[in-house]
Amino acid sequence: MVTKDLEAQYYNQGATVILVSMRQEIIGLIALADTVREASADAISGLKALGITPMLLTGDNEQAASTTAGKVGISEVKANLMPEDKMQIIKDHAERKICMVGDGVNDALALSTAYAGIAMGGIGSDIAVESTDAVLVSDDIQRLPYLFKITQKAMRKVRQNIIIGLAINFTAIILSATGLLVPTTAAIVHNCGSVFVVVNAAMILREKDT
């Protein structure tokens, strides 16, 4: 027999409860709940270590969302959201440069609106994959911290190479103006600078996914 206490029990466990009726009489219920991946908590912990603040955007009810968020260590939770609600929240937080991770049709709008979108390739819908900037083909959520880490390192390398390249060129211009640099040695300096920039960029290949 389905009672309010039984319904509340599943609801408090974070499940979405669907009542089943026949001839206008409730004869049962279906409790739907997400299964949290074992690696999710470690992935969230890794993101926090990189200075990234995670937020859960979901269409589930508040209790289900809070239960899931508590299991993985997310403190910011937005529940009962429609696809356009997720998109609006991302627009409202545009100054934070939101990166959205999703896998379903309901995430497509948010994925395309976010500063960067990441789709779970194996389990994600085609429209979600098409709306993103990056795809995790293996669906290994534990690789998210590595993805952000390698991206941050790549941007640092870009900035380093721009500064070093400009410094070499300005130095070469000054030396040429003073007559200390002739065309032959200028070409050598320029090529050495180009090689240094390429080698410095290639050093990022040493970064391993731990």
Side-chain angles (χ1 to χ4, degrees):
M1 179 180 179
V2 179
T3 63
K4 287 292 183 180
D5 290 339
L6 182 60
E7 180 182 353
Q9 176 184 340
Y10 284 110
Y11 183 83
N12 292 332
Q13 292 175 0
T16 298
V17 179
I18 301 174
L19 298 178
V20 180
S21 66
M22 179 181 291
R23 299 188 182 93
Q24 299 183 345
E25 181 182 353
I26 298 176
I27 61 173
L29 60 79
I30 300 174
L32 304 176
D34 293 326
T35 301
V36 179
R37 300 187 186 191
E38 294 181 0
S40 297
D42 291 336
I44 296 300
S45 177
L47 293 175
K48 288 181 177 179
L50 295 174
I52 297 170
T53 302
M55 177 191 296
L56 176 61
L57 305 180
T58 178
D60 292 340
N61 62 64
E62 293 182 2
Q63 183 61 42
S66 297
T67 300
T68 300
K71 290 179 180 178
V72 299
I74 297 177
S75 56
E76 291 191 52
V77 182
K78 306 292 184 181
N80 297 313
L81 301 178
M82 298 295 289
E84 55 270 24
D85 297 327
K86 296 179 182 180
M87 179 182 68
Q88 188 58 51
I89 290 174
I90 289 176
K91 287 183 176 180
D92 293 342
H93 292 80
E95 74 283 354
R96 296 174 63 178
K97 294 185 177 180
I98 298 291
C99 177
M100 173 73 180
V101 180
D103 59 16
V105 174
N106 291 336
D107 297 324
L109 283 175
L111 286 167
S112 61
T113 304
Y115 182 80
I118 302 174
M120 309 299 286
I123 62 175
S125 65
D126 291 340
I127 189 171
V129 171
E130 292 294 331
S131 303
T132 59
D133 301 292
V135 178
L136 285 179
V137 179
S138 64
D139 288 335
D140 185 0
I141 196 172
Q142 203 164 6
R143 302 198 71 189
L144 280 176
Y146 171 71
L147 176 61
F148 280 95
K149 185 178 180 180
I150 201 72
T151 300
Q152 292 174 347
K153 286 184 175 292
M155 291 307 301
R156 282 198 293 269
K157 289 292 183 181
V158 169
R159 288 190 287 268
Q160 288 174 7
N161 288 340
I162 290 175
I163 293 172
I164 293 171
L166 289 174
I168 291 174
N169 289 336
F170 280 125
T171 301
I173 291 173
I174 294 171
L175 293 177
S176 296
T178 58
L180 297 176
L181 206 61
V182 297
T184 302
T185 52
I188 294 174
V189 170
H190 174 74
N191 290 333
C192 288
S194 299
V195 170
F196 177 83
V197 167
V198 172
V199 171
N200 187 43
M203 295 292 284
I204 199 172
L205 297 175
R206 299 187 306 171
E207 185 68 32
K208 302 298 182 181
D209 184 2
T210 55

